PDB file of all heavy atoms in Angstrom:
ATOM      1  N   LEU A 811       1.208 -15.922  20.658  1.00 98.00           N
ATOM      2  CA  LEU A 811      -0.059 -15.655  21.320  1.00 98.00           C
ATOM      3  C   LEU A 811      -0.604 -16.931  22.049  1.00 98.00           C
ATOM      4  O   LEU A 811      -1.746 -16.905  22.531  1.00 98.00           O
ATOM      5  CB  LEU A 811      -1.108 -15.120  20.352  1.00 98.00           C
ATOM      6  CG  LEU A 811      -0.735 -13.820  19.618  1.00 98.00           C
ATOM      7  CD1 LEU A 811      -1.871 -13.414  18.695  1.00 98.00           C
ATOM      8  CD2 LEU A 811      -0.419 -12.706  20.644  1.00 98.00           C
ATOM      9  N   ALA A 812       0.192 -17.969  22.067  1.00 97.00           N
ATOM     10  CA  ALA A 812      -0.252 -19.225  22.667  1.00 97.00           C
ATOM     11  C   ALA A 812      -0.658 -19.038  24.104  1.00 97.00           C
ATOM     12  O   ALA A 812       0.034 -18.364  24.911  1.00 97.00           O
ATOM     13  CB  ALA A 812       0.873 -20.268  22.579  1.00 97.00           C
ATOM     14  N   GLY A 813      -1.816 -19.617  24.469  1.00 96.00           N
ATOM     15  CA  GLY A 813      -2.320 -19.568  25.851  1.00 96.00           C
ATOM     16  C   GLY A 813      -2.938 -18.254  26.247  1.00 96.00           C
ATOM     17  O   GLY A 813      -3.389 -18.126  27.395  1.00 96.00           O
ATOM     18  N   ARG A 814      -3.040 -17.305  25.358  1.00 96.00           N
ATOM     19  CA  ARG A 814      -3.554 -15.987  25.739  1.00 96.00           C
ATOM     20  C   ARG A 814      -5.028 -15.829  25.392  1.00 96.00           C
ATOM     21  O   ARG A 814      -5.720 -14.999  26.005  1.00 96.00           O
ATOM     22  CB  ARG A 814      -2.720 -14.866  25.052  1.00 96.00           C
ATOM     23  CG  ARG A 814      -1.257 -14.894  25.439  1.00 96.00           C
ATOM     24  CD  ARG A 814      -0.585 -13.583  25.040  1.00 96.00           C
ATOM     25  NE  ARG A 814      -1.271 -12.427  25.585  1.00 96.00           N
ATOM     26  CZ  ARG A 814      -1.151 -11.993  26.830  1.00 96.00           C
ATOM     27  NH1 ARG A 814      -0.402 -12.678  27.705  1.00 96.00           N
ATOM     28  NH2 ARG A 814      -1.831 -10.967  27.248  1.00 96.00           N
ATOM     29  N   PHE A 815      -5.559 -16.573  24.419  1.00 96.00           N
ATOM     30  CA  PHE A 815      -6.923 -16.400  23.992  1.00 96.00           C
ATOM     31  C   PHE A 815      -7.547 -17.766  23.772  1.00 96.00           C
ATOM     32  O   PHE A 815      -6.967 -18.616  23.074  1.00 96.00           O
ATOM     33  CB  PHE A 815      -7.001 -15.560  22.725  1.00 96.00           C
ATOM     34  CG  PHE A 815      -6.444 -14.171  22.875  1.00 96.00           C
ATOM     35  CD1 PHE A 815      -5.105 -13.918  22.603  1.00 96.00           C
ATOM     36  CD2 PHE A 815      -7.238 -13.149  23.351  1.00 96.00           C
ATOM     37  CE1 PHE A 815      -4.595 -12.634  22.772  1.00 96.00           C
ATOM     38  CE2 PHE A 815      -6.715 -11.888  23.534  1.00 96.00           C
ATOM     39  CZ  PHE A 815      -5.399 -11.625  23.267  1.00 96.00           C
ATOM     40  N   PRO A 816      -8.776 -17.964  24.259  1.00 94.00           N
ATOM     41  CA  PRO A 816      -9.389 -19.307  24.105  1.00 94.00           C
ATOM     42  C   PRO A 816     -10.049 -19.533  22.763  1.00 94.00           C
ATOM     43  O   PRO A 816     -10.177 -20.674  22.327  1.00 94.00           O
ATOM     44  CB  PRO A 816     -10.417 -19.311  25.227  1.00 94.00           C
ATOM     45  CG  PRO A 816     -10.838 -17.852  25.396  1.00 94.00           C
ATOM     46  CD  PRO A 816      -9.546 -17.088  25.148  1.00 94.00           C
ATOM     47  N   ASP A 817     -10.496 -18.477  22.106  1.00 95.00           N
ATOM     48  CA  ASP A 817     -11.232 -18.619  20.838  1.00 95.00           C
ATOM     49  C   ASP A 817     -10.885 -17.456  19.900  1.00 95.00           C
ATOM     50  O   ASP A 817     -10.435 -16.420  20.325  1.00 95.00           O
ATOM     51  CB  ASP A 817     -12.763 -18.559  21.101  1.00 95.00           C
ATOM     52  CG  ASP A 817     -13.226 -19.603  22.056  1.00 95.00           C
ATOM     53  OD1 ASP A 817     -13.174 -20.777  21.680  1.00 95.00           O
ATOM     54  OD2 ASP A 817     -13.626 -19.235  23.201  1.00 95.00           O
ATOM     55  N   GLY A 818     -11.129 -17.725  18.611  1.00 97.00           N
ATOM     56  CA  GLY A 818     -10.902 -16.675  17.633  1.00 97.00           C
ATOM     57  C   GLY A 818     -11.591 -17.031  16.310  1.00 97.00           C
ATOM     58  O   GLY A 818     -12.282 -18.054  16.195  1.00 97.00           O
ATOM     59  N   LEU A 819     -11.341 -16.191  15.350  1.00 98.00           N
ATOM     60  CA  LEU A 819     -11.838 -16.415  13.988  1.00 98.00           C
ATOM     61  C   LEU A 819     -10.669 -16.253  13.031  1.00 98.00           C
ATOM     62  O   LEU A 819      -9.908 -15.294  13.176  1.00 98.00           O
ATOM     63  CB  LEU A 819     -12.930 -15.412  13.605  1.00 98.00           C
ATOM     64  CG  LEU A 819     -14.213 -15.429  14.469  1.00 98.00           C
ATOM     65  CD1 LEU A 819     -15.055 -14.203  14.094  1.00 98.00           C
ATOM     66  CD2 LEU A 819     -14.985 -16.685  14.238  1.00 98.00           C
ATOM     67  N   PHE A 820     -10.547 -17.158  12.095  1.00 98.00           N
ATOM     68  CA  PHE A 820      -9.459 -17.077  11.114  1.00 98.00           C
ATOM     69  C   PHE A 820     -10.032 -16.878   9.746  1.00 98.00           C
ATOM     70  O   PHE A 820     -10.834 -17.676   9.262  1.00 98.00           O
ATOM     71  CB  PHE A 820      -8.614 -18.362  11.156  1.00 98.00           C
ATOM     72  CG  PHE A 820      -7.458 -18.330  10.183  1.00 98.00           C
ATOM     73  CD1 PHE A 820      -6.628 -17.241  10.102  1.00 98.00           C
ATOM     74  CD2 PHE A 820      -7.191 -19.405   9.365  1.00 98.00           C
ATOM     75  CE1 PHE A 820      -5.540 -17.228   9.209  1.00 98.00           C
ATOM     76  CE2 PHE A 820      -6.144 -19.448   8.474  1.00 98.00           C
ATOM     77  CZ  PHE A 820      -5.310 -18.325   8.397  1.00 98.00           C
ATOM     78  N   PHE A 821      -9.624 -15.776   9.088  1.00 98.00           N
ATOM     79  CA  PHE A 821     -10.030 -15.404   7.745  1.00 98.00           C
ATOM     80  C   PHE A 821      -8.883 -15.747   6.801  1.00 98.00           C
ATOM     81  O   PHE A 821      -8.036 -14.920   6.505  1.00 98.00           O
ATOM     82  CB  PHE A 821     -10.385 -13.925   7.657  1.00 98.00           C
ATOM     83  CG  PHE A 821     -11.591 -13.530   8.496  1.00 98.00           C
ATOM     84  CD1 PHE A 821     -11.530 -13.414   9.880  1.00 98.00           C
ATOM     85  CD2 PHE A 821     -12.811 -13.275   7.869  1.00 98.00           C
ATOM     86  CE1 PHE A 821     -12.623 -13.049  10.624  1.00 98.00           C
ATOM     87  CE2 PHE A 821     -13.923 -12.878   8.628  1.00 98.00           C
ATOM     88  CZ  PHE A 821     -13.840 -12.794  10.004  1.00 98.00           C
ATOM     89  N   ALA A 822      -8.900 -16.964   6.309  1.00 98.00           N
ATOM     90  CA  ALA A 822      -7.733 -17.487   5.559  1.00 98.00           C
ATOM     91  C   ALA A 822      -7.536 -16.784   4.217  1.00 98.00           C
ATOM     92  O   ALA A 822      -6.425 -16.725   3.696  1.00 98.00           O
ATOM     93  CB  ALA A 822      -7.865 -18.994   5.341  1.00 98.00           C
ATOM     94  N   GLY A 823      -8.599 -16.262   3.633  1.00 98.00           N
ATOM     95  CA  GLY A 823      -8.533 -15.655   2.300  1.00 98.00           C
ATOM     96  C   GLY A 823      -8.071 -14.234   2.258  1.00 98.00           C
ATOM     97  O   GLY A 823      -7.993 -13.625   1.169  1.00 98.00           O
ATOM     98  N   GLU A 824      -7.738 -13.626   3.408  1.00 98.00           N
ATOM     99  CA  GLU A 824      -7.344 -12.233   3.422  1.00 98.00           C
ATOM    100  C   GLU A 824      -5.824 -12.066   3.359  1.00 98.00           C
ATOM    101  O   GLU A 824      -5.074 -13.025   3.478  1.00 98.00           O
ATOM    102  CB  GLU A 824      -7.938 -11.555   4.685  1.00 98.00           C
ATOM    103  CG  GLU A 824      -9.469 -11.572   4.633  1.00 98.00           C
ATOM    104  CD  GLU A 824     -10.107 -10.733   5.706  1.00 98.00           C
ATOM    105  OE1 GLU A 824      -9.477 -10.465   6.765  1.00 98.00           O
ATOM    106  OE2 GLU A 824     -11.276 -10.323   5.490  1.00 98.00           O
ATOM    107  N   ALA A 825      -5.412 -10.820   3.138  1.00 98.00           N
ATOM    108  CA  ALA A 825      -3.981 -10.544   2.926  1.00 98.00           C
ATOM    109  C   ALA A 825      -3.667  -9.162   3.488  1.00 98.00           C
ATOM    110  O   ALA A 825      -4.535  -8.440   3.914  1.00 98.00           O
ATOM    111  CB  ALA A 825      -3.666 -10.638   1.425  1.00 98.00           C
ATOM    112  N   HIS A 826      -2.396  -8.799   3.394  1.00 98.00           N
ATOM    113  CA  HIS A 826      -1.996  -7.443   3.713  1.00 98.00           C
ATOM    114  C   HIS A 826      -0.722  -7.078   2.982  1.00 98.00           C
ATOM    115  O   HIS A 826       0.010  -7.931   2.454  1.00 98.00           O
ATOM    116  CB  HIS A 826      -1.831  -7.258   5.236  1.00 98.00           C
ATOM    117  CG  HIS A 826      -0.588  -7.946   5.828  1.00 98.00           C
ATOM    118  ND1 HIS A 826      -0.548  -9.266   6.107  1.00 98.00           N
ATOM    119  CD2 HIS A 826       0.584  -7.455   6.231  1.00 98.00           C
ATOM    120  CE1 HIS A 826       0.616  -9.578   6.665  1.00 98.00           C
ATOM    121  NE2 HIS A 826       1.342  -8.499   6.707  1.00 98.00           N
ATOM    122  N   LEU A 827      -0.436  -5.779   2.945  1.00 98.00           N
ATOM    123  CA  LEU A 827       0.773  -5.258   2.297  1.00 98.00           C
ATOM    124  C   LEU A 827       1.313  -4.104   3.138  1.00 98.00           C
ATOM    125  O   LEU A 827       0.638  -3.602   4.042  1.00 98.00           O
ATOM    126  CB  LEU A 827       0.442  -4.807   0.874  1.00 98.00           C
ATOM    127  CG  LEU A 827      -0.721  -3.873   0.589  1.00 98.00           C
ATOM    128  CD1 LEU A 827      -0.462  -2.443   1.059  1.00 98.00           C
ATOM    129  CD2 LEU A 827      -1.074  -3.836  -0.880  1.00 98.00           C
ATOM    130  N   ASP A 828       2.517  -3.702   2.799  1.00 97.00           N
ATOM    131  CA  ASP A 828       3.117  -2.523   3.386  1.00 97.00           C
ATOM    132  C   ASP A 828       2.712  -1.328   2.496  1.00 97.00           C
ATOM    133  O   ASP A 828       3.216  -1.225   1.370  1.00 97.00           O
ATOM    134  CB  ASP A 828       4.645  -2.626   3.449  1.00 97.00           C
ATOM    135  CG  ASP A 828       5.303  -1.435   4.102  1.00 97.00           C
ATOM    136  OD1 ASP A 828       4.782  -0.326   4.025  1.00 97.00           O
ATOM    137  OD2 ASP A 828       6.394  -1.654   4.683  1.00 97.00           O
ATOM    138  N   PRO A 829       1.839  -0.412   2.957  1.00 96.00           N
ATOM    139  CA  PRO A 829       1.353   0.634   2.081  1.00 96.00           C
ATOM    140  C   PRO A 829       2.477   1.537   1.498  1.00 96.00           C
ATOM    141  O   PRO A 829       2.401   1.886   0.347  1.00 96.00           O
ATOM    142  CB  PRO A 829       0.444   1.448   2.983  1.00 96.00           C
ATOM    143  CG  PRO A 829       0.043   0.537   4.088  1.00 96.00           C
ATOM    144  CD  PRO A 829       1.249  -0.364   4.287  1.00 96.00           C
ATOM    145  N   ARG A 830       3.465   1.821   2.287  1.00 96.00           N
ATOM    146  CA  ARG A 830       4.520   2.757   1.824  1.00 96.00           C
ATOM    147  C   ARG A 830       5.343   2.082   0.712  1.00 96.00           C
ATOM    148  O   ARG A 830       5.670   2.711  -0.300  1.00 96.00           O
ATOM    149  CB  ARG A 830       5.371   3.218   2.988  1.00 96.00           C
ATOM    150  CG  ARG A 830       4.538   3.960   4.024  1.00 96.00           C
ATOM    151  CD  ARG A 830       5.317   4.343   5.266  1.00 96.00           C
ATOM    152  NE  ARG A 830       4.470   4.959   6.236  1.00 96.00           N
ATOM    153  CZ  ARG A 830       4.874   5.482   7.401  1.00 96.00           C
ATOM    154  NH1 ARG A 830       6.174   5.438   7.712  1.00 96.00           N
ATOM    155  NH2 ARG A 830       4.025   6.027   8.244  1.00 96.00           N
ATOM    156  N   ARG A 831       5.651   0.841   0.905  1.00 97.00           N
ATOM    157  CA  ARG A 831       6.397   0.121  -0.105  1.00 97.00           C
ATOM    158  C   ARG A 831       5.575  -0.042  -1.383  1.00 97.00           C
ATOM    159  O   ARG A 831       6.032   0.095  -2.481  1.00 97.00           O
ATOM    160  CB  ARG A 831       6.822  -1.242   0.426  1.00 97.00           C
ATOM    161  CG  ARG A 831       7.873  -1.933  -0.435  1.00 97.00           C
ATOM    162  CD  ARG A 831       7.824  -3.436  -0.279  1.00 97.00           C
ATOM    163  NE  ARG A 831       6.585  -3.972  -0.841  1.00 97.00           N
ATOM    164  CZ  ARG A 831       6.411  -4.190  -2.135  1.00 97.00           C
ATOM    165  NH1 ARG A 831       7.357  -3.944  -3.025  1.00 97.00           N
ATOM    166  NH2 ARG A 831       5.260  -4.690  -2.567  1.00 97.00           N
ATOM    167  N   ALA A 832       4.252  -0.333  -1.191  1.00 97.00           N
ATOM    168  CA  ALA A 832       3.369  -0.522  -2.345  1.00 97.00           C
ATOM    169  C   ALA A 832       3.192   0.766  -3.123  1.00 97.00           C
ATOM    170  O   ALA A 832       3.210   0.748  -4.381  1.00 97.00           O
ATOM    171  CB  ALA A 832       1.998  -1.036  -1.879  1.00 97.00           C
ATOM    172  N   LEU A 833       3.062   1.875  -2.448  1.00 97.00           N
ATOM    173  CA  LEU A 833       2.951   3.168  -3.150  1.00 97.00           C
ATOM    174  C   LEU A 833       4.202   3.470  -3.962  1.00 97.00           C
ATOM    175  O   LEU A 833       4.134   3.916  -5.108  1.00 97.00           O
ATOM    176  CB  LEU A 833       2.657   4.294  -2.178  1.00 97.00           C
ATOM    177  CG  LEU A 833       1.278   4.341  -1.531  1.00 97.00           C
ATOM    178  CD1 LEU A 833       1.230   5.397  -0.437  1.00 97.00           C
ATOM    179  CD2 LEU A 833       0.211   4.597  -2.574  1.00 97.00           C
ATOM    180  N   ALA A 834       5.365   3.248  -3.337  1.00 97.00           N
ATOM    181  CA  ALA A 834       6.633   3.510  -4.027  1.00 97.00           C
ATOM    182  C   ALA A 834       6.792   2.606  -5.253  1.00 97.00           C
ATOM    183  O   ALA A 834       7.228   3.049  -6.287  1.00 97.00           O
ATOM    184  CB  ALA A 834       7.771   3.355  -3.069  1.00 97.00           C
ATOM    185  N   ALA A 835       6.384   1.333  -5.086  1.00 97.00           N
ATOM    186  CA  ALA A 835       6.507   0.392  -6.193  1.00 97.00           C
ATOM    187  C   ALA A 835       5.545   0.780  -7.342  1.00 97.00           C
ATOM    188  O   ALA A 835       5.910   0.690  -8.525  1.00 97.00           O
ATOM    189  CB  ALA A 835       6.187  -1.011  -5.703  1.00 97.00           C
ATOM    190  N   LEU A 836       4.349   1.224  -6.981  1.00 97.00           N
ATOM    191  CA  LEU A 836       3.411   1.614  -8.036  1.00 97.00           C
ATOM    192  C   LEU A 836       3.878   2.864  -8.732  1.00 97.00           C
ATOM    193  O   LEU A 836       3.765   2.967  -9.988  1.00 97.00           O
ATOM    194  CB  LEU A 836       2.030   1.839  -7.401  1.00 97.00           C
ATOM    195  CG  LEU A 836       0.808   1.681  -8.316  1.00 97.00           C
ATOM    196  CD1 LEU A 836       0.793   0.334  -8.967  1.00 97.00           C
ATOM    197  CD2 LEU A 836      -0.465   1.949  -7.530  1.00 97.00           C
ATOM    198  N   ALA A 837       4.440   3.815  -8.010  1.00 97.00           N
ATOM    199  CA  ALA A 837       4.957   5.024  -8.638  1.00 97.00           C
ATOM    200  C   ALA A 837       6.100   4.683  -9.574  1.00 97.00           C
ATOM    201  O   ALA A 837       6.202   5.226 -10.698  1.00 97.00           O
ATOM    202  CB  ALA A 837       5.420   6.013  -7.579  1.00 97.00           C
ATOM    203  N   GLU A 838       6.990   3.784  -9.166  1.00 97.00           N
ATOM    204  CA  GLU A 838       8.095   3.375 -10.014  1.00 97.00           C
ATOM    205  C   GLU A 838       7.600   2.652 -11.276  1.00 97.00           C
ATOM    206  O   GLU A 838       8.138   2.856 -12.390  1.00 97.00           O
ATOM    207  CB  GLU A 838       9.037   2.466  -9.243  1.00 97.00           C
ATOM    208  CG  GLU A 838      10.348   2.109  -9.970  1.00 97.00           C
ATOM    209  CD  GLU A 838      11.188   3.355 -10.320  1.00 97.00           C
ATOM    210  OE1 GLU A 838      11.074   4.350  -9.588  1.00 97.00           O
ATOM    211  OE2 GLU A 838      11.911   3.276 -11.337  1.00 97.00           O
ATOM    212  N   ARG A 839       6.553   1.856 -11.125  1.00 97.00           N
ATOM    213  CA  ARG A 839       5.992   1.183 -12.287  1.00 97.00           C
ATOM    214  C   ARG A 839       5.411   2.186 -13.275  1.00 97.00           C
ATOM    215  O   ARG A 839       5.596   2.048 -14.480  1.00 97.00           O
ATOM    216  CB  ARG A 839       4.912   0.203 -11.779  1.00 97.00           C
ATOM    217  CG  ARG A 839       4.142  -0.512 -12.892  1.00 97.00           C
ATOM    218  CD  ARG A 839       3.001  -1.331 -12.333  1.00 97.00           C
ATOM    219  NE  ARG A 839       2.137  -1.914 -13.347  1.00 97.00           N
ATOM    220  CZ  ARG A 839       2.352  -3.053 -13.938  1.00 97.00           C
ATOM    221  NH1 ARG A 839       3.404  -3.805 -13.614  1.00 97.00           N
ATOM    222  NH2 ARG A 839       1.515  -3.516 -14.860  1.00 97.00           N
ATOM    223  N   LEU A 840       4.740   3.210 -12.764  1.00 98.00           N
ATOM    224  CA  LEU A 840       4.182   4.221 -13.606  1.00 98.00           C
ATOM    225  C   LEU A 840       5.273   4.955 -14.373  1.00 98.00           C
ATOM    226  O   LEU A 840       5.144   5.211 -15.607  1.00 98.00           O
ATOM    227  CB  LEU A 840       3.366   5.227 -12.768  1.00 98.00           C
ATOM    228  CG  LEU A 840       2.003   4.715 -12.335  1.00 98.00           C
ATOM    229  CD1 LEU A 840       1.431   5.624 -11.266  1.00 98.00           C
ATOM    230  CD2 LEU A 840       1.047   4.655 -13.519  1.00 98.00           C
ATOM    231  N   ARG A 841       6.370   5.298 -13.722  1.00 97.00           N
ATOM    232  CA  ARG A 841       7.479   5.955 -14.417  1.00 97.00           C
ATOM    233  C   ARG A 841       7.999   5.080 -15.509  1.00 97.00           C
ATOM    234  O   ARG A 841       8.325   5.576 -16.623  1.00 97.00           O
ATOM    235  CB  ARG A 841       8.549   6.315 -13.411  1.00 97.00           C
ATOM    236  CG  ARG A 841       8.185   7.411 -12.393  1.00 97.00           C
ATOM    237  CD  ARG A 841       9.359   7.861 -11.574  1.00 97.00           C
ATOM    238  NE  ARG A 841       8.992   8.875 -10.590  1.00 97.00           N
ATOM    239  CZ  ARG A 841       8.720   8.598  -9.325  1.00 97.00           C
ATOM    240  NH1 ARG A 841       8.836   7.338  -8.863  1.00 97.00           N
ATOM    241  NH2 ARG A 841       8.392   9.552  -8.491  1.00 97.00           N
ATOM    242  N   GLY A 842       8.058   3.790 -15.242  1.00 97.00           N
ATOM    243  CA  GLY A 842       8.525   2.844 -16.267  1.00 97.00           C
ATOM    244  C   GLY A 842       7.595   2.773 -17.475  1.00 97.00           C
ATOM    245  O   GLY A 842       8.028   2.398 -18.570  1.00 97.00           O
ATOM    246  N   GLN A 843       6.306   3.140 -17.278  1.00 95.00           N
ATOM    247  CA  GLN A 843       5.350   3.169 -18.370  1.00 95.00           C
ATOM    248  C   GLN A 843       5.314   4.512 -19.080  1.00 95.00           C
ATOM    249  O   GLN A 843       4.471   4.723 -19.931  1.00 95.00           O
ATOM    250  CB  GLN A 843       3.972   2.825 -17.821  1.00 95.00           C
ATOM    251  CG  GLN A 843       3.832   1.407 -17.304  1.00 95.00           C
ATOM    252  CD  GLN A 843       2.511   1.168 -16.601  1.00 95.00           C
ATOM    253  OE1 GLN A 843       2.052   1.890 -15.722  1.00 95.00           O
ATOM    254  NE2 GLN A 843       1.799   0.120 -17.034  1.00 95.00           N
ATOM    255  N   GLY A 844       6.196   5.396 -18.678  1.00 96.00           N
ATOM    256  CA  GLY A 844       6.264   6.722 -19.294  1.00 96.00           C
ATOM    257  C   GLY A 844       5.319   7.738 -18.703  1.00 96.00           C
ATOM    258  O   GLY A 844       5.135   8.851 -19.243  1.00 96.00           O
ATOM    259  N   VAL A 845       4.763   7.438 -17.525  1.00 97.00           N
ATOM    260  CA  VAL A 845       3.884   8.400 -16.862  1.00 97.00           C
ATOM    261  C   VAL A 845       4.722   9.437 -16.089  1.00 97.00           C
ATOM    262  O   VAL A 845       5.636   9.053 -15.362  1.00 97.00           O
ATOM    263  CB  VAL A 845       2.913   7.655 -15.904  1.00 97.00           C
ATOM    264  CG1 VAL A 845       2.091   8.658 -15.079  1.00 97.00           C
ATOM    265  CG2 VAL A 845       2.005   6.733 -16.676  1.00 97.00           C
ATOM    266  N   ALA A 846       4.389  10.702 -16.241  1.00 96.00           N
ATOM    267  CA  ALA A 846       5.073  11.752 -15.550  1.00 96.00           C
ATOM    268  C   ALA A 846       4.419  11.951 -14.171  1.00 96.00           C
ATOM    269  O   ALA A 846       3.196  12.164 -14.080  1.00 96.00           O
ATOM    270  CB  ALA A 846       5.042  13.073 -16.342  1.00 96.00           C
ATOM    271  N   LEU A 847       5.195  11.852 -13.080  1.00 96.00           N
ATOM    272  CA  LEU A 847       4.723  12.121 -11.731  1.00 96.00           C
ATOM    273  C   LEU A 847       5.373  13.430 -11.281  1.00 96.00           C
ATOM    274  O   LEU A 847       6.616  13.519 -11.159  1.00 96.00           O
ATOM    275  CB  LEU A 847       5.088  10.980 -10.750  1.00 96.00           C
ATOM    276  CG  LEU A 847       4.122   9.829 -10.657  1.00 96.00           C
ATOM    277  CD1 LEU A 847       4.092   9.022 -11.939  1.00 96.00           C
ATOM    278  CD2 LEU A 847       4.451   8.956  -9.476  1.00 96.00           C
ATOM    279  N   ARG A 848       4.543  14.418 -11.037  1.00 96.00           N
ATOM    280  CA  ARG A 848       5.047  15.775 -10.690  1.00 96.00           C
ATOM    281  C   ARG A 848       4.493  16.174  -9.340  1.00 96.00           C
ATOM    282  O   ARG A 848       3.286  16.344  -9.181  1.00 96.00           O
ATOM    283  CB  ARG A 848       4.702  16.736 -11.792  1.00 96.00           C
ATOM    284  CG  ARG A 848       5.230  16.351 -13.163  1.00 96.00           C
ATOM    285  CD  ARG A 848       4.730  17.253 -14.264  1.00 96.00           C
ATOM    286  NE  ARG A 848       5.088  18.661 -14.044  1.00 96.00           N
ATOM    287  CZ  ARG A 848       4.682  19.667 -14.821  1.00 96.00           C
ATOM    288  NH1 ARG A 848       3.891  19.415 -15.882  1.00 96.00           N
ATOM    289  NH2 ARG A 848       5.038  20.903 -14.551  1.00 96.00           N
ATOM    290  N   TYR A 849       5.385  16.342  -8.387  1.00 95.00           N
ATOM    291  CA  TYR A 849       5.028  16.712  -7.050  1.00 95.00           C
ATOM    292  C   TYR A 849       5.208  18.215  -6.797  1.00 95.00           C
ATOM    293  O   TYR A 849       5.873  18.897  -7.552  1.00 95.00           O
ATOM    294  CB  TYR A 849       5.799  15.895  -6.018  1.00 95.00           C
ATOM    295  CG  TYR A 849       5.476  14.437  -6.038  1.00 95.00           C
ATOM    296  CD1 TYR A 849       6.261  13.555  -6.778  1.00 95.00           C
ATOM    297  CD2 TYR A 849       4.380  13.930  -5.337  1.00 95.00           C
ATOM    298  CE1 TYR A 849       5.960  12.214  -6.809  1.00 95.00           C
ATOM    299  CE2 TYR A 849       4.086  12.609  -5.396  1.00 95.00           C
ATOM    300  CZ  TYR A 849       4.850  11.730  -6.122  1.00 95.00           C
ATOM    301  OH  TYR A 849       4.562  10.381  -6.148  1.00 95.00           O
ATOM    302  N   GLY A 850       4.527  18.719  -5.750  1.00 95.00           N
ATOM    303  CA  GLY A 850       4.618  20.111  -5.437  1.00 95.00           C
ATOM    304  C   GLY A 850       3.825  21.016  -6.367  1.00 95.00           C
ATOM    305  O   GLY A 850       4.118  22.214  -6.478  1.00 95.00           O
ATOM    306  N   ILE A 851       2.791  20.434  -7.013  1.00 93.00           N
ATOM    307  CA  ILE A 851       2.000  21.197  -7.981  1.00 93.00           C
ATOM    308  C   ILE A 851       0.547  21.112  -7.546  1.00 93.00           C
ATOM    309  O   ILE A 851      -0.016  20.024  -7.435  1.00 93.00           O
ATOM    310  CB  ILE A 851       2.152  20.648  -9.402  1.00 93.00           C
ATOM    311  CG1 ILE A 851       3.583  20.803  -9.882  1.00 93.00           C
ATOM    312  CG2 ILE A 851       1.196  21.340 -10.376  1.00 93.00           C
ATOM    313  CD1 ILE A 851       3.842  20.248 -11.268  1.00 93.00           C
ATOM    314  N   ASP A 852      -0.049  22.293  -7.320  1.00 88.00           N
ATOM    315  CA  ASP A 852      -1.484  22.332  -6.985  1.00 88.00           C
ATOM    316  C   ASP A 852      -2.326  22.115  -8.244  1.00 88.00           C
ATOM    317  O   ASP A 852      -1.863  22.371  -9.349  1.00 88.00           O
ATOM    318  CB  ASP A 852      -1.823  23.692  -6.354  1.00 88.00           C
ATOM    319  CG  ASP A 852      -3.177  23.700  -5.750  1.00 88.00           C
ATOM    320  OD1 ASP A 852      -3.350  23.235  -4.607  1.00 88.00           O
ATOM    321  OD2 ASP A 852      -4.105  24.190  -6.416  1.00 88.00           O
ATOM    322  N   ALA A 853      -3.565  21.672  -8.032  1.00 84.00           N
ATOM    323  CA  ALA A 853      -4.426  21.395  -9.153  1.00 84.00           C
ATOM    324  C   ALA A 853      -4.613  22.624 -10.055  1.00 84.00           C
ATOM    325  O   ALA A 853      -4.736  22.502 -11.287  1.00 84.00           O
ATOM    326  CB  ALA A 853      -5.782  20.916  -8.668  1.00 84.00           C
ATOM    327  N   ALA A 854      -4.667  23.817  -9.432  1.00 86.00           N
ATOM    328  CA  ALA A 854      -4.873  25.032 -10.187  1.00 86.00           C
ATOM    329  C   ALA A 854      -3.707  25.322 -11.140  1.00 86.00           C
ATOM    330  O   ALA A 854      -3.891  26.045 -12.156  1.00 86.00           O
ATOM    331  CB  ALA A 854      -5.084  26.194  -9.274  1.00 86.00           C
ATOM    332  N   ASN A 855      -2.544  24.789 -10.870  1.00 88.00           N
ATOM    333  CA  ASN A 855      -1.367  25.056 -11.699  1.00 88.00           C
ATOM    334  C   ASN A 855      -0.921  23.855 -12.495  1.00 88.00           C
ATOM    335  O   ASN A 855       0.178  23.820 -13.080  1.00 88.00           O
ATOM    336  CB  ASN A 855      -0.201  25.454 -10.801  1.00 88.00           C
ATOM    337  CG  ASN A 855      -0.488  26.735 -10.017  1.00 88.00           C
ATOM    338  OD1 ASN A 855      -1.017  27.692 -10.587  1.00 88.00           O
ATOM    339  ND2 ASN A 855      -0.179  26.743  -8.747  1.00 88.00           N
ATOM    340  N   ALA A 856      -1.812  22.861 -12.608  1.00 89.00           N
ATOM    341  CA  ALA A 856      -1.494  21.634 -13.342  1.00 89.00           C
ATOM    342  C   ALA A 856      -1.605  21.849 -14.843  1.00 89.00           C
ATOM    343  O   ALA A 856      -2.336  22.730 -15.279  1.00 89.00           O
ATOM    344  CB  ALA A 856      -2.446  20.519 -12.895  1.00 89.00           C
TER     345      ALA A 856
END
């Protein structure tokens, strides 16, 4: 972006993640803790 913008703001304390990878990692962690993840089930049939 060099030479394209004269001014900006830098928020050094912020971060980001890949949501899809994070969701998959959290689901895998839950399974490792013995949590059952069951898809295709509506709340009424839970």
Side-chain angles (χ1 to χ4, degrees):
L811 300 181
R814 300 194 54 78
F815 299 92
D817 302 291
L819 299 170
F820 180 48
F821 294 76
E824 297 190 336
H826 71 281
L827 51 72
D828 182 332
R830 299 177 184 183
R831 194 205 68 81
L833 288 172
L836 204 56
E838 186 61 27
R839 176 185 173 88
L840 284 166
R841 292 188 181 97
Q843 294 173 308
V845 174
L847 273 69
R848 301 173 60 185
Y849 293 96
I851 297 178
D852 191 82
N855 299 316

